[in-house]
Amino acid sequence: GKADSQTKPTIGFRPVSMMAGENLQVRFYDIGGGPRIREIWSQYYHDVHGLVYVIDSTASEERAAEAYQIFKNSLSHEFTTKKPLLLVATKQDIEGATSMDDIKARYCIDEYANAELIACKPIGEAEEVDPRIEAALEALIKNVQESFDSICERVKVDSATKVKDDMKRRLARERKVLKNKISIAFMDLLSEENQPDLGGKTPNPED
């Protein structure tokens, strides 16, 4: 409930566990939003029960459009669709911030099942956390609890699907590497169109 004025942008990801009741433990994955880290977001989708997406209400039109496109891509993934969602529009108390009506329209919140949009203000020095955040998180957790059994079953199925997909990709990479290695050993027997792309490097048959 207290603000941390030393908070910095997340680099990579940071798991945080906390007790949200006597018999309820919640685990959050705070995942960085930088361009490089976004590529690994999908590695977590299969195992989550709910999602929180935070946007900057004071962002430029270019950044706002980028944030929406990332949101759209993330929520269209097969492992995230129809899972409980909380969209947090922060910096709403700053002059010139995009209105909640405009954000709701841009993000088409009504089209997502189990979705909620809230406004909040940024945390300043020695301030307490905006109570709307705590209330919204409680609502999200309750939403997850109400569908907990079905979400758990889906997580189990999605996790199995991810294991199979990961194995297929790994085998494809291994086959590609093996094919290139065999091709390098017999470069003089291959036609030009069948020779592997070595990025300009000189092949060494002894490899």
Side-chain angles (χ1 to χ4, degrees), residues 16-190:
V16 179
S17 295
M18 64 182 68
M19 297 302 296
E22 288 187 13
N23 301 307
L24 176 63
Q25 184 181 45
V26 181
R27 186 171 182 83
F28 293 93
Y29 288 89
D30 176 21
I31 304 181
R36 292 182 179 179
I37 199 67
R38 291 174 205 157
E39 295 181 1
I40 73 164
W41 284 7
S42 60
Q43 298 300 311
Y44 299 91
Y45 292 160
H46 67 286
D47 201 29
V48 299
H49 292 67
L51 302 106
V52 181
Y53 192 85
V54 183
I55 62 172
D56 181 350
S57 302
T58 63
S60 65
E61 177 55 33
E62 181 181 359
R63 292 297 302 274
E66 179 186 20
Y68 167 67
Q69 191 59 51
I70 295 168
F71 171 85
K72 186 177 179 181
N73 292 343
S74 299
L75 269 294
S76 62
H77 194 283
E78 62 176 319
F79 295 159
T80 61
T81 55
K82 297 183 179 180
K83 284 184 176 179
L85 165 70
L86 173 62
L87 182 64
V88 181
T90 188
K91 303 184 183 178
Q92 274 292 304
D93 63 332
I94 296 178
E95 185 177 354
T98 304
S99 71
M100 292 297 287
D101 287 340
D102 287 346
I103 291 174
K104 184 177 182 179
R106 165 169 262 171
Y107 282 79
C108 305
I109 292 300
D110 294 336
E111 296 181 7
Y112 293 93
N114 301 322
E116 182 180 359
L117 168 65
I118 69 159
C120 70
K121 63 180 181 178
I123 299 171
E125 292 286 342
E127 288 187 31
E128 292 195 357
V129 176
D130 190 326
R132 290 175 291 187
I133 297 177
E134 184 174 359
L137 286 174
E138 288 179 351
L140 176 67
I141 292 171
K142 183 179 180 182
N143 197 352
V144 171
Q145 286 180 301
E146 290 175 349
S147 306
F148 191 71
D149 290 341
S150 60
I151 295 176
C152 282
E153 185 59 33
R154 181 179 168 187
V155 164
K156 182 189 298 185
V157 172
D158 289 349
S159 296
T161 299
K162 185 177 183 301
V163 168
K164 291 180 181 178
D165 290 345
D166 288 347
M167 186 175 294
K168 287 180 181 178
R169 284 191 290 269
R170 185 168 62 251
L171 285 173
R173 287 194 300 268
E174 290 175 354
R175 285 170 179 165
K176 183 178 180 180
V177 170
L178 180 59
K179 179 181 177 182
N180 283 348
K181 287 293 184 183
I182 294 174
S183 298
I184 288 172
F186 300 96
M187 287 285 277
D188 56 331
L189 301 178
L190 294 176

